[in-house]
Amino acid sequence: GHLNSAMPVLKYPDVLAAKTGKRSSTSSQIEAATEKAGADHFAPRFRGIISECFDAYLGTWVRHEEKQLLEVLQALTAADKMVSQENEENEEDEEVLQRYLYKSAPELFAAMRGSMQECSRFSTHNTLFDIFQVFRKVMSQYA
């Protein structure tokens, strides 16, 4: 058969028709024309497309998270002190290693982890990178 030149060429294959077995002669002709045009078979990506549209507008949220983390940092470091934690590495030798860390460290990292998890729920692109930059700023102030 000769294909009509006015027939549209599909960018993506008709996946639904192929799965259900309900192929019309038109869809099979279009799919054949698409294959002849050299189009690769791949499924379109739907996950995250809508949230990517809002990435450019999440700067306000990033600034809010930065303010929150800096407030947490201020509150935790106001009366911060070093604490010792014993860590048993090897039970047979009964060797006990002591670690020293600031009392605020676990709480600060927990707050940062919460921000990162919240951000990754709706963006894994520019906004996540912006949150990473906020973490760098917070950590530089913590040092």
Side-chain angles (χ1 to χ4, degrees), residues 41-82:
H41 279 318
F42 67 96
R45 181 180 65 90
F46 293 109
R47 184 181 194 114
I49 289 178
I50 294 174
S51 64
E52 285 177 18
C53 296
F54 295 100
D55 256 356
Y57 304 101
L58 291 172
T60 305
W61 180 81
V62 170
R63 287 189 296 278
H64 171 73
E65 285 297 310
E66 179 179 2
K67 181 181 172 191
Q68 293 262 347
L69 287 172
L70 290 174
E71 287 174 2
V72 166
L73 178 66
Q74 291 273 324
L76 291 175
T77 56
D80 204 9
K81 62 181 178 178
M82 286 279 233

Side-chain angles (χ1 to χ4, degrees), residues 25 38 49-50 64 69-70 74 87 92-94 103 130:
S25 62
I49 289 178
I50 294 174
H64 171 73
L69 287 172
L70 290 174
Q74 291 273 324
N87 187 15
E92 295 173 3
D93 297 337
E94 295 185 16
K103 188 177 179 181
D130 293 342

Side-chain angles (χ1 to χ4, degrees), residues 7-26:
M7 190 176 294
V9 177
L10 292 179
K11 185 175 180 180
Y12 302 107
D14 193 356
V15 178
L16 293 177
K19 286 184 180 181
T20 60
K22 297 179 182 177
R23 303 181 111 176
S24 68
S25 62
T26 308

Side-chain angles (χ1 to χ4, degrees), residues 27-46:
S27 68
S28 60
Q29 287 176 352
I30 292 172
E31 194 170 296
T34 305
E35 287 179 15
K36 285 182 182 178
D40 295 330
H41 279 318
F42 67 96
R45 181 180 65 90
F46 293 109

Side-chain angles (χ1 to χ4, degrees), residues 61-130:
W61 180 81
V62 170
R63 287 189 296 278
H64 171 73
E65 285 297 310
E66 179 179 2
K67 181 181 172 191
Q68 293 262 347
L69 287 172
L70 290 174
E71 287 174 2
V72 166
L73 178 66
Q74 291 273 324
L76 291 175
T77 56
D80 204 9
K81 62 181 178 178
M82 286 279 233
V83 293
S84 170
Q85 292 183 341
E86 293 181 359
N87 187 15
E88 294 183 18
E89 289 291 326
N90 195 349
E91 293 179 9
E92 295 173 3
D93 297 337
E94 295 185 16
E95 182 180 330
V96 177
L97 297 175
Q98 286 195 340
R99 297 185 300 176
Y100 294 96
L101 70 141
Y102 286 107
K103 188 177 179 181
S104 60
E107 294 174 40
L108 179 62
F109 280 102
M112 290 170 60
R113 182 176 185 221
S115 292
M116 184 182 71
Q117 286 176 338
E118 187 176 345
C119 180
S120 66
R121 274 190 235 129
F122 55 81
S123 175
T124 56
H125 298 288
N126 292 337
T127 306
L128 190 60
F129 181 74
D130 293 342

